[in-house]
């Protein structure tokens, strides 16, 4: 069987293949890493024009991680995929409440989704933190409501919910607000793997810069 | 805020939006569910022509689950996303060894990826089981080697690894073998969310048919 089996070689070769698709975008080194990891995670170069990184987002995310900020996710798959070993070097943890009993109760009582209820319960814990929404438009809508109506102020919102019901609208709203730096992907595409790719790209930047 | 917050409504509306993209494919009810969930999980109707379901795959997967077969995954995100509550009704569990110490040791010693090492260590446990590969082409190549060279015989292989290095080749090899029924997505696209969507679509079919 003739295929590359070395993880570092696989990663390097993948980044080489993606590089030409980023030509002409004038991305800096850090933006290139985030674009590349998202495109790699989707196996889809058509992501290139959809990715939007707010000019302050990467610095805000790095600063937050360096001071030990936590990451709050909408679904367990995003929590699972985030590189917690690297995050923990800086003191941060990853939290997800979507499967908790109090979240389910709150969601049922209010006839909202569990991932929306989970964000509302996090509430002030989101101040200064990183929010990573990979799946549920309703979670992102709720975070944006907390920002707008309750003065909650995350350090950065990585919002890439997926699908045909609300995802594109929630991400438009994210990109149109100007209070919180963000990373997003416009349109219907996205998902847990994309949220994880963006978060881990930032973690790797910090981990490498420490070595 | 004017958006749909009821989970069942969100799902139904999403399936309605996807339905026209499946016109003319002559899919049966069960195939339609799998296609729809994959397209929904990717937020990407361009998946439609890429999805390949072996004629025996759905029946094989359902039979395996009904007799309590386990599911073996390449990465933790796939394990996390699979509906374990439904699977456990039939007696099955989900296993992933990619982060285990013995897997890391085996991978380092043999200069292969951890997800490849994990599949080799599973070995005979894969007989009659469901294999779900969402991330690593090397894991799928290894499962196919076990089938070919060591007479390992999973009930079905759900193989949708993602990326630009080996993913498309590993999935071509999956679709070209004729010993094990499979579900796959040709080309570079795929990922953990896609593997989870396919597995959970089958679990929901069984769960609904029980009610």
């Amino acid at each position: 069987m003739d295929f590359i089996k070395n993880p570092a070689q696989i990663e390097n070769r993948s980044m080489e293949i993606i590089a030409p698709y980023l030509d002409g975008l004038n991305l800096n080194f850090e933006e290139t890493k985030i674009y590349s990891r998202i495109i790699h995670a989707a196996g889809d170069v058509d992501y290139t024009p959809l990715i939007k990184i707010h000019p302050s987002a990467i610095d805000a995310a790095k600063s937050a991680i360096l001071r030990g900020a936590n990451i709050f996710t909408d679904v367990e798959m995003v929590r699972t995929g985030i590189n917690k070993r690297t995050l923990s070097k800086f003191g941060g943890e990853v939290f997800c409440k979507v499967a908790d009993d109090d979240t389910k109760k709150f969601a049922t009582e209010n006839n909202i989704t569990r991932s929306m209820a989970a964000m509302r319960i996090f509430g002030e814990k989101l101040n200064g933190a990183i929010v990573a929404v990979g799946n549920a438009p309703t979670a992102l809508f709720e975070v944006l409501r907390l920002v707008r109506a309750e003065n909650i102020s995350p350090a950065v919102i990585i919002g890439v919910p997926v699908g045909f019901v609300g995802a594109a609208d929630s991400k438009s709203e994210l990109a149109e607000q100007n209070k919180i730096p963000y990373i997003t992907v416009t349109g219907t595409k996205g998902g847990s793997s994309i949220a994880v790719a963006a978060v881990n790209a930032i973690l790797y930047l910090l981990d490498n810069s420490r070595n």
Side-chain angles (χ1 to χ4, degrees), chain A residues 66-117:
Chain A
L66 286 171
R67 66 169 184 269
N70 294 318
I71 301 177
F72 295 87
T73 74
D74 62 332
V75 291
E76 292 288 350
M77 279 183 74
V78 177
R79 170 155 70 175
T80 297
I82 290 173
N83 187 328
K84 287 169 285 290
R85 198 174 46 136
T86 298
L87 182 66
S88 69
K89 290 184 189 176
F90 307 102
E93 290 181 68
V94 189
F95 294 93
C96 178
K97 278 191 74 67
V98 74
D100 291 5
D101 287 339
D102 59 335
T103 304
K104 287 181 194 171
K105 186 164 175 284
F106 190 88
T108 305
E109 285 170 1
N110 293 278
N111 196 31
I112 60 177
T113 67
R114 286 189 288 142
S115 44
M116 193 176 174

Side-chain angles (χ1 to χ4, degrees), chain A residues 33-85:
Chain A
K33 289 293 179 187
I34 294 171
Y35 271 68
S36 299
R37 287 199 162 269
I38 288 175
I39 293 166
H40 173 72
D44 183 359
V45 295
D46 293 342
Y47 265 80
T48 308
L50 308 177
I51 299 169
K52 305 290 170 202
I53 304 180
H54 182 280
S56 311
I58 300 174
D59 282 346
K62 285 166 61 185
S63 301
I65 292 165
L66 286 171
R67 66 169 184 269
N70 294 318
I71 301 177
F72 295 87
T73 74
D74 62 332
V75 291
E76 292 288 350
M77 279 183 74
V78 177
R79 170 155 70 175
T80 297
I82 290 173
N83 187 328
K84 287 169 285 290
R85 198 174 46 136

Side-chain angles (χ1 to χ4, degrees), chain A residues 15 28-38 201 205:
Chain A
M15 297 303 144
N28 65 31
F29 175 80
E30 297 185 327
E31 290 166 337
T32 300
K33 289 293 179 187
I34 294 171
Y35 271 68
S36 299
R37 287 199 162 269
I38 288 175
L205 289 173

